[in-house]
Amino acid sequence: MSRNAPDFEDYLRTIAEFTEDELIPSEPEMVAAGAVPDRLVRRMAELGLFGISIPPGYGGFGWTMEQQVLLTLEFTRASCVYRSRFSTVIGLCSQAILDHGTEEQRREMLPDMAAGRQVTSFALSEPEAGSDATNVQTTARRTGDGWVLDGSKRYITNAHWADTLLVFARTDDAEVSAFLVDRNAPGVSTRIPDLMNGHAEGPVGEIDLDSVVVAENRLLGGVPGTGVAAAMRGINHARLHVAATCVGQATRMLEEATRHVQERRQFGAPLSELGVVQAQLGRCYSEMEAGRALTLDAARAFDAGTIPRHRISAAKLYCSEMVGRVADQCVQLLGGKGIVGPHPVPRMWRDVRTLRIYEGASAIHERNLGRAMTRSVAADGVLPDSYRVR
């Protein structure tokens, strides 16, 4: 199952070329079809994008978190809808399985996930468990030789076309556990919404579980009650990828907007010569670069051996808010093209709005970081994930 990883710099260039030569030019086709073209999903699999975070022993490339962030900065210069097709594999699901699954589950799932043959979906959010993700109401009742699951999930990325759902449910002891559920199992139904405000070509889905029978060996890790820990392992990984996605999207929008103001003439000169336009671009660029630095710094801390969850939270919060500001300024700079016609920036403006909600809404990150600060200073006299020498 082992896979020999190429030289990283060569691979990074390959992904940059794939983004420039195939993903970006195919965006109009994707929009017209209302879905990511199957040929591009196959190309993503061929290039190994489904396996960038999965260790070589399980068929992936096993890139470091810093390398994963650098790759994300490249492929998210194209529509972030493309990334959504493999995001649940490389982050939320694979990391939960890696750290909390049994070896049998890792051997069964991860090689096919890395090859793009097994799409997984992270089924945590519910009508009453959104920002309060621990308030899971889906139940898992033990039977003689397994479990029976009942409940519903919503806003689930890749739910409608996943092969396997990683379902979080409350077991008989009231603890949250995770289960590997075949999407085509009897009692499982999925549906997508009629309307999406952004991400229209990669809609989230809803899942209903009606007396779904799950074998004992499908309990993640074989031990009940580890669901919250498994979820947070995947979520912290995914949050850093989301932060990098925000920077990638900001990069593309600023490039598009800068080209526009260089070509668009008003008052006898290009818009790019107006001081107010230069100020807008300069402010956006500085905010984007601050987000890039914060995200890469958190990735390096991750690779050092301890997950810097507060710094990751700060990166996700800052970058998702930053890309919203950048998107708004870029739409403004486009003038009429920002609201009429097929220009990519207004489409990306709608898409990036969701990133302030995915993987924890901004208000939740603000609250959690504030709490962590007061606790850390009270206990140790320093801020959480502090750089201070002690």
Side-chain angles (χ1 to χ4, degrees):
M1 295 295 182
S2 294
R3 182 174 191 167
N4 293 323
D7 175 79
F8 178 73
E9 293 301 324
D10 289 343
Y11 186 70
L12 185 61
R13 280 191 290 272
T14 296
I15 297 306
E17 291 168 1
F18 172 58
T19 301
E20 201 67 44
D21 298 342
E22 298 184 55
L23 292 182
I24 291 174
S26 296
E27 287 173 350
E29 177 189 351
M30 178 186 70
V31 172
V36 179
D38 288 342
R39 63 178 176 79
L40 288 178
V41 178
R42 289 194 296 271
R43 282 286 289 143
M44 293 172 196
E46 290 168 4
L47 290 169
L49 284 175
F50 284 83
I52 63 173
S53 66
I54 296 173
Y58 298 107
F61 288 141
W63 300 123
T64 66
M65 182 59 86
E66 182 180 2
Q67 290 170 328
Q68 292 172 47
V69 163
L70 290 170
L71 287 165
T72 302
L73 293 174
E74 286 299 330
F75 58 68
T76 58
R77 288 187 299 108
S79 169
C80 58
V81 174
Y82 290 128
R83 171 192 168 272
S84 71
R85 291 305 301 267
F86 57 90
S87 64
T88 52
V89 171
I90 63 175
L92 292 166
C93 293
S94 65
Q95 303 309 299
I97 293 170
L98 269 171
D99 276 20
H100 295 275
T102 65
E103 183 59 19
E104 179 185 2
Q105 289 165 346
R106 289 193 287 266
R107 292 289 172 193
E108 175 198 348
M109 297 289 298
L110 294 175
D112 282 346
M113 290 168 66
R117 294 188 297 266
Q118 174 83 237
V119 175
T120 50
S121 186
F122 191 80
L124 175 60
S125 295
E126 298 181 1
E128 301 303 324
S131 295
D132 183 8
T134 61
N135 191 34
V136 169
Q137 301 299 305
T138 295
T139 60
R141 175 172 49 86
R142 190 185 285 278
T143 62
D145 55 356
W147 303 83
V148 175
L149 274 59
D150 287 281
S152 61
K153 303 288 181 178
R154 69 175 179 179
Y155 308 144
I156 308 300
T157 300
N158 289 330
H160 200 55
W161 39 77
D163 301 293
T164 301
L165 308 170
L166 184 59
V167 176
F168 294 83
R170 200 167 293 281
T171 44
D172 299 332
D173 57 4
E175 295 290 339
V176 176
S177 302
F179 297 86
L180 297 164
V181 179
D182 184 343
R183 188 180 62 83
N184 294 314
V188 177
S189 60
T190 63
R191 59 191 177 276
I192 54 177
D194 295 328
L195 182 65
M196 289 278 293
N197 184 19
H199 280 255
E201 302 80 24
V204 297
E206 297 189 8
I207 304 169
D208 288 324
L209 305 157
D210 184 9
S211 298
V212 178
V213 177
V214 180
E216 183 65 35
N217 66 358
R218 311 312 285 163
L219 171 64
L220 188 69
V223 180
T226 62
V228 173
M232 290 311 301
R233 175 62 184 88
I235 287 170
N236 276 308
H237 197 104
R239 283 174 175 167
L240 204 42
H241 282 197
V242 170
T245 298
C246 294
V247 178
Q249 294 285 278
T251 302
R252 169 75 180 289
M253 287 188 287
L254 278 174
E255 289 171 348
E256 295 281 0
T258 302
R259 275 192 287 270
H260 172 79
V261 298
Q262 288 175 318
E263 296 166 359
R264 174 70 167 157
R265 295 180 66 86
Q266 291 287 280
F267 309 109
L271 284 177
S272 58
E273 293 186 11
L274 294 176
V276 66
V277 170
Q278 294 168 355
Q280 284 177 284
L281 291 173
R283 184 169 58 253
C284 288
Y285 179 82
S286 64
E287 290 197 31
M288 178 191 71
E289 287 302 309
R292 187 190 311 274
L294 177 57
T295 303
L296 284 167
D297 179 80
R300 294 178 188 122
F302 189 108
D303 290 333
T306 301
I307 297 176
R309 58 191 182 93
H310 302 301
R311 214 176 298 170
I312 290 172
S313 177
K316 194 276 173 182
L317 169 63
Y318 176 82
C319 290
S320 62
E321 292 288 334
M322 173 276 294
V323 75
R325 291 191 294 270
V326 168
D328 193 65
Q329 289 298 314
C330 288
V331 168
Q332 193 72 19
L333 288 168
L334 261 64
K337 282 189 176 181
I339 54 173
V340 177
H343 198 282
V345 165
R347 168 172 47 80
M348 297 176 77
W349 173 56
R350 293 189 297 273
D351 289 343
V352 300
R353 181 61 185 86
T354 66
L355 301 177
R356 280 183 263 174
I357 298 172
Y358 285 2
E359 313 307 345
S362 292
I364 296 300
H365 286 284
E366 290 171 340
R367 184 200 67 173
N368 290 348
L369 287 169
R371 286 180 173 178
M373 290 166 65
T374 55
R375 289 171 184 161
S376 184
V377 170
D380 302 319
V382 297
L383 297 174
D385 294 342
S386 177
Y387 288 98
R388 284 186 51 194
V389 176
R390 286 179 282 176

